[in-house]
Amino acid sequence: RNLPGVDLGFGGRTSDPYCTVTVGGRTLRTSSCSRTLKPDWSQDPALVFLVYHERQDLKLQIFDENVLRQDIQLAELPRRIRSVADLAAKCGEARWLELATNDSGHGGNGEAEGSAIHLCAIFCDLAPDQSVGKAPQTSGTYVLALKLF
């Protein structure tokens, strides 16, 4: 919500936002939402990643899609959320998460203060079933599922 508008239309500034999430070397992307500053990704499937360490780097960015020129970054997660564990700790239930907007021109001049994304992060260990009386063990492999709304 409240993303920067970088395209000029008849009704004022707008964008065609999509979101990318990178965990490790894998990047997944949502669909693009045309001419809106309040994208709705509730119909998109969850973005699912295999994670080999909870401190693995995570990057979430929102871009404006363009046909004839390079896509423009609109916003990203703030610096305090840089790993899978950071995100999972904040978003175990669906919630709005404030975004840092791009201030280097292209509409990022304070007009989108309060930009946020609505999401839920589920982080699960793929360890086999734990036997009663034995110390819990972790598999070292996890699944991160991100649902954007």
Side-chain angles (χ1 to χ4, degrees):
R1 70 179 177 202
N2 202 28
L3 292 173
V6 295
D7 299 331
L8 191 54
F10 292 113
R13 290 203 170 269
T14 186
S15 289
D16 304 306
Y18 67 90
C19 181
T20 64
V21 180
T22 302
V23 175
R26 184 171 188 212
T27 300
L28 297 177
R29 170 197 157 137
T30 65
S31 62
S32 298
C33 298
S34 297
R35 296 180 297 279
T36 185
L37 303 180
K38 298 177 182 179
D40 178 0
W41 292 300
S42 61
Q43 299 302 311
D44 283 20
L47 305 177
V48 180
F49 299 88
L50 279 178
V51 178
Y52 299 101
H53 191 279
E54 65 185 16
R55 286 283 165 207
Q56 199 164 335
D57 289 342
L58 175 134
K59 185 179 235 180
L60 184 149
Q61 298 172 294
I62 299 178
F63 293 91
D64 172 56
E65 184 173 60
N66 294 299
V67 176
L68 299 176
R69 58 188 169 131
Q70 185 175 358
D71 293 352
I72 298 169
Q73 183 179 332
L74 302 174
E76 65 184 340
L77 285 178
R79 286 181 178 34
R80 69 182 179 278
I81 302 174
R82 290 294 179 212
S83 72
V84 170
D86 294 340
L87 184 66
K90 292 219 174 273
C91 299
E93 295 182 11
R95 67 173 284 196
W96 286 98
L97 207 83
E98 294 297 316
L99 295 169
T101 55
N102 182 3
D103 292 356
S104 61
H106 298 104
N109 52 11
E111 68 186 80
E113 190 173 322
S115 291
I117 189 166
H118 194 202
L119 62 85
C120 179
I122 300 171
F123 185 61
C124 302
D125 187 355
L126 292 180
D129 292 336
Q130 304 295 322
S131 300
V132 176
K134 290 190 175 182
Q137 304 219 349
T138 61
S139 65
T141 304
Y142 307 87
V143 171
L144 172 68
L146 290 179
K147 179 62 183 160
L148 283 69
F149 302 99

